[in-house]
Amino acid sequence: MPVDATQPYDRDNIFAKILRGEIPSKTVFEDEWALAFHDIAPQAPIHILVIPKGEWVGWDDFSARASSDEISGFVRAVGQVAREFGLVEPGYRLLANLGGHGGQEVPHLHVHLFGGKPLGRMIAVLPTG
Ligand code: 5GP
């Protein structure tokens, strides 16, 4: 069920459990600010999730209340993972699903990093109205 991104942070969400080491993940990067791991259901040859370590539901609370160090740490982690996977030259896609209309399923801010093949159009053309 899509997340209501206006709700308080839920410490029982699956990514919180991954951060606490209660659920295993295929970690590819970790530092003070962020953790990155392979998506359990990859939708591209490379499909990595990058999450900030802080308790942020989505972009709204993160952008409004996270410290500058947290924000820069998270953004730099995304860039570093892309570099480490050789994605800069061929290109890649970042995606954040946010809230109900965004189709967010896990209520801990995360960025999907897709790559490894040409990914086509950025988004499907949706019917209007
Ligand atoms: P979103 O919230 O942006 O819609 O997507 C959540 C993503 O988390 C999905 O792509 C899903 O496959 C992934 N995911 C859900 N549970 C787990 C898990 O336990 N481990 C990993 N590695 N990925 C998960």
Side-chain angles (χ1 to χ4, degrees), residues 8-20:
Y9 186 81
D10 170 12
R11 289 187 173 160
D12 286 330
N13 81 75
I14 197 100
F15 292 171
K17 292 178 180 176
I18 286 175
L19 277 169
R20 291 195 296 268

Side-chain angles (χ1 to χ4, degrees), residues 2-125:
V3 164
D4 177 350
T6 66
Q7 291 299 301
Y9 186 81
D10 170 12
R11 289 187 173 160
D12 286 330
N13 81 75
I14 197 100
F15 292 171
K17 292 178 180 176
I18 286 175
L19 277 169
R20 291 195 296 268
E22 296 167 8
I23 291 179
S25 68
K26 292 184 181 169
T27 299
V28 298
F29 173 87
E30 181 170 14
D31 70 3
E32 181 181 358
W33 305 110
L35 181 73
F37 49 90
H38 289 286
D39 195 290
I40 202 167
Q43 296 179 46
I46 296 170
H47 183 175
I48 294 167
L49 299 168
V50 189
I51 69 175
K53 286 196 167 175
E55 296 183 344
W56 306 109
V57 177
W59 204 258
D60 185 64
D61 53 349
F62 184 67
S63 63
R65 297 202 303 278
S67 70
S68 297
D69 281 349
E70 285 178 285
I71 292 170
S72 63
F74 177 58
V75 171
R76 288 189 191 283
V78 173
Q80 185 164 337
V81 171
R83 281 192 295 279
E84 288 181 1
F85 276 79
L87 296 175
V88 175
E89 188 274 325
Y92 59 102
R93 177 169 297 152
L94 295 180
L95 173 74
N97 296 319
L98 300 162
H101 284 187
Q104 182 179 1
E105 295 284 345
V106 179
H108 182 114
L109 176 62
H110 52 281
V111 169
H112 297 253
L113 195 159
F114 300 104
K117 70 172 188 180
L119 295 164
R121 287 177 62 88
M122 187 174 77
I123 56 172
V125 178

